[in-house]
Amino acid sequence: MTPNVKGALLMVGSMAAFTVNDTLVKVALQELPLFQLVAIRGALATILIYVLARFLGSLHLNFPHHNRWLVALRCLAELSATFFFLTALKSMPLANVTAVLQALPLTVTLGAALFFSEHIGWRRILAIALGFIGMLLIVRPGPEGFSVFSLYALVAVASVTVRDLITRRMSAEVPSMVVTLATSLSITAAAAIASILEGWVPVSAGAGMLVASAAVFVLMGYLFSVMVMRVGDVGFVAPFRYSSLIWALGLGWLVFDEWPDQITMLGAVLVVAAGLFTLFRERTHQVTE
């Protein structure tokens, strides 16, 4: 098996793990309050991430001091993304929320151009515009198709974009597992505090199993996403992140009996096509350099 094939399989596995986690959380949210669920899942995930980080020997703070502020800002962005994404996930079809998130390569590319002065040509600008048209078809900002939860999904995309732009500014000396552990700890702590105000409810055995399983799948997603960066060509592997939409379509249909309408599917196709083209142009630009 070539490194590129291994990388592609790891990327598909990572997207599958994250989507299964989203599915489990969406089911559990029918019984548990949001912050209680995030606090429980976060506590379990944090323990698993800590054990994994210790096993990999990647728990150290031997990196430039200013990066600690970047880690803190990244945690805040991730906290915002978690709240808005899960709130949208609770009330929107799984595939619709996942389709909106497929715009991330486009928003990150645009953000890097606006804030870091990274050059993008007219082709990628056109692809970004096409992708945003597709995103509008998914969320449908009108009196009939739009809901406040669509806005929450868009805020989640903006938050993840900020998170990824902050990550770009971090030194390569910052261990990925330290960032992951810090993020998990901050989200768990914030959710635990918020859950006190929201109130707790008894956790049934079924809900407990769902949350525990979600924590395991989150860990798998993190682990695979770290491993994928160590094998294969990033330009070859990156497009396979769009497999999450396929997983979301299948799980949404099997678990929730949901299937997007034709306009939503058209929007998703436009977003994915624009993202793939943007990744292709970026790879081509790097090769010519």
Side-chain angles (χ1 to χ4, degrees), residues 193-206:
I193 294 172
S195 67
I196 297 174
L197 302 176
E198 185 182 42
W200 281 55
V201 301
V203 181
S204 67

Side-chain angles (χ1 to χ4, degrees), residues 31-56:
E31 181 176 334
L32 298 177
L34 173 62
F35 292 117
Q36 179 182 350
L37 185 151
V38 174
I40 297 173
R41 186 192 67 170
L44 295 173
T46 298
I47 294 172
L48 294 173
I49 292 168
Y50 175 77
V51 172
L52 177 62
R54 286 297 296 262
F55 176 76
L56 295 175

Side-chain angles (χ1 to χ4, degrees), residues 26-200:
K26 185 175 175 65
V27 175
L29 281 173
Q30 298 174 5
E31 181 176 334
L32 298 177
L34 173 62
F35 292 117
Q36 179 182 350
L37 185 151
V38 174
I40 297 173
R41 186 192 67 170
L44 295 173
T46 298
I47 294 172
L48 294 173
I49 292 168
Y50 175 77
V51 172
L52 177 62
R54 286 297 296 262
F55 176 76
L56 295 175
S58 57
L59 279 183
H60 66 82
L61 300 178
N62 299 324
F63 50 83
H65 190 271
H66 74 275
N67 281 273
R68 299 180 186 182
W69 287 106
L70 293 177
V71 172
L73 290 173
R74 187 186 185 281
C75 289
L76 288 175
E78 186 73 67
L79 181 60
S80 172
T82 299
F83 170 73
F84 286 105
F85 173 76
L86 292 182
T87 303
L89 179 66
K90 182 178 181 179
S91 302
M92 289 178 64
L94 176 63
N96 289 40
V97 182
T98 304
V100 173
L101 289 182
Q102 304 312 302
L104 281 172
L106 305 176
T107 57
V108 171
T109 299
L110 181 61
L114 292 175
F115 298 107
F116 301 150
S117 299
E118 293 186 11
H119 174 72
I120 57 174
W122 66 269
R123 294 180 181 85
R124 278 193 282 178
I125 292 176
L126 185 60
I128 290 171
L130 182 65
F132 280 119
I133 292 174
M135 194 161 59
L136 290 176
L137 290 177
I138 298 170
V139 301
R140 267 171 264 178
E144 296 181 359
F146 183 77
S147 73
V148 67
F149 300 108
S150 297
L151 180 60
Y152 277 35
L154 293 177
V155 175
V157 170
S159 299
V160 177
T161 301
V162 172
R163 180 202 69 186
D164 288 352
L165 292 176
I166 292 172
T167 305
R168 283 195 178 199
R169 307 307 292 178
M170 287 183 185
S171 168
E173 301 172 32
V174 182
S176 298
M177 292 306 296
V178 169
V179 177
T180 301
L181 182 60
T183 302
S184 184
L185 277 170
S186 61
I187 291 175
T188 303
I193 294 172
S195 67
I196 297 174
L197 302 176
E198 185 182 42
W200 281 55

